[in-house]
Amino acid sequence: MAAVPQDILDRIRSLERQVRELTGRSQMRPALDKILHGDIVIGEGGQLIAETPDGTRTFVVGQTPQGDWGVGIGREDGTSALTVGDDVSDRGQMIRIWSRDRDAPNRILIMDDYYSDRFLGRPWLPFPMYPTANSAMENTTSWQFAWIGRMPAQNAVAVLSFSSIASAGGQARITYVAPGSSERVLETWTLPTNTWVNKTFTVPLDDAEWGDGVLFQIEHRNSASTGAVETRMFHAYTRNTYTEAEAPDLPTRTAAAAAAPSAFEADLATTPESPVEPGLRRVDE
């Protein structure tokens, strides 16, 4: 049978069908909501940002407009939840967890230390100080321990507050001992007759790594054998540094020492011992 040429309308309809097919195929591609292989790199500045529909940022990573590199996780109300890095100062890369208190959202609950990078900044921790049988004593002029405490170093600075009195006058002193260092007398002072003497000491935990056991000892004595002396502890705790001057001195570090566990971590692997006895030394004058 002889071929019958298509009329012009049939040919136009065929061309339109082919154009639609080609157009549809050109738009077909995998959904761009997954990364199955490879990395995404944000370099030379810029940020990856996740926002709620109303524009509140809940996740940010990269270089901030202030020039710092960090990570921020926020809440739906716009307050910070967790941040790594500090876009305010040049001591960045602190890690901080922020309060959910809507009336005071800028309070930090957990952080490392701003000026001493090996220590916990917050929370502050109590430093356990224990009274001895001689925290109140009579009829001796020799130095005796009144209060003693030993704890693994967590925060960088210790604060101790206490008061002493001697019926016939006397003396008191406080000493600090870090692992691998000798006993250091922080101060010795006179107790006037029948007068309470209040003392507060703010002591950077020099020569201690995080987790090393540090020791404080408070001693007192009478000036006369017929006198009585007493020391009362008000509070003892450790906190973060407030200024660069409060940053503790670094202990002597070697490659082996840096890789070794802290004294506290090593103690956990052995039979527990008294937290006080290893550092006790009485020095009579």
Side-chain angles (χ1 to χ4, degrees), residues 13-186:
R13 281 192 292 268
S14 177
L15 289 172
E16 288 177 340
R17 184 173 60 255
Q18 294 178 37
V19 168
R20 284 195 300 270
E21 290 177 355
L22 291 173
T23 302
R25 289 174 180 173
S26 69
Q27 299 301 317
M28 294 174 62
R29 64 184 65 182
L32 300 181
D33 58 358
K34 292 183 181 179
I35 301 171
L36 301 179
H37 300 284
D39 302 324
I40 292 180
V41 178
I42 300 176
E44 299 183 10
Q47 296 174 295
L48 176 65
I49 299 172
E51 295 182 345
T52 63
D54 64 1
T56 301
R57 294 187 175 188
T58 57
F59 178 77
V60 179
V61 61
Q63 187 177 29
T64 68
Q66 292 81 1
D68 186 50
W69 292 83
V71 178
I73 299 175
R75 303 185 180 92
E76 288 182 334
D77 61 2
T79 59
S80 294
L82 182 147
T83 57
V84 179
D86 185 351
D87 60 10
V88 176
S89 71
D90 58 2
R91 283 184 184 271
Q93 306 312 307
M94 290 179 66
I95 182 168
R96 290 174 287 183
I97 297 178
W98 301 79
S99 167
R100 290 190 295 114
D101 185 346
R102 294 191 178 186
D103 295 328
N106 293 325
R107 291 178 179 169
I108 303 169
L109 301 180
I110 300 174
M111 70 179 191
D112 52 359
D113 195 281
Y114 184 78
Y115 292 107
S116 186
D117 53 13
R118 69 187 185 278
F119 284 113
L120 175 69
R122 293 184 188 176
W124 296 359
L125 297 175
F127 194 102
M129 295 292 292
Y130 302 99
T132 72
N134 292 319
S135 60
M137 66 180 189
E138 300 176 350
N139 305 325
T140 179
T141 59
S142 63
W143 286 108
Q144 300 293 329
F145 294 109
W147 291 78
I148 301 166
R150 183 172 181 260
M151 175 184 172
Q154 302 291 326
N155 304 113
V157 179
V159 180
L160 301 94
S161 181
F162 52 93
S163 187
S164 300
I165 190 171
S167 62
Q171 285 183 296
R173 68 186 178 190
I174 181 172
T175 57
Y176 166 71
V177 185
S181 64
S182 58
E183 181 178 87
R184 189 174 79 201
V185 177
L186 301 178

Side-chain angles (χ1 to χ4, degrees), residues 185-199:
V185 177
L186 301 178
E187 186 178 335
T188 301
W189 60 97
T190 299
L191 304 175
T193 301
N194 259 352
T195 302
W196 285 101
V197 178
N198 299 322
K199 287 287 186 179

Side-chain angles (χ1 to χ4, degrees), residues 217-239:
Q217 301 169 159
I218 300 171
E219 300 171 79
H220 56 198
R221 69 177 179 180
N222 289 297
S223 294
S225 59
T226 56
V229 63
E230 180 181 358
T231 296
R232 298 179 182 178
M233 177 67 63
F234 298 143
H235 61 250
Y237 62 93
T238 56
R239 62 163 173 81

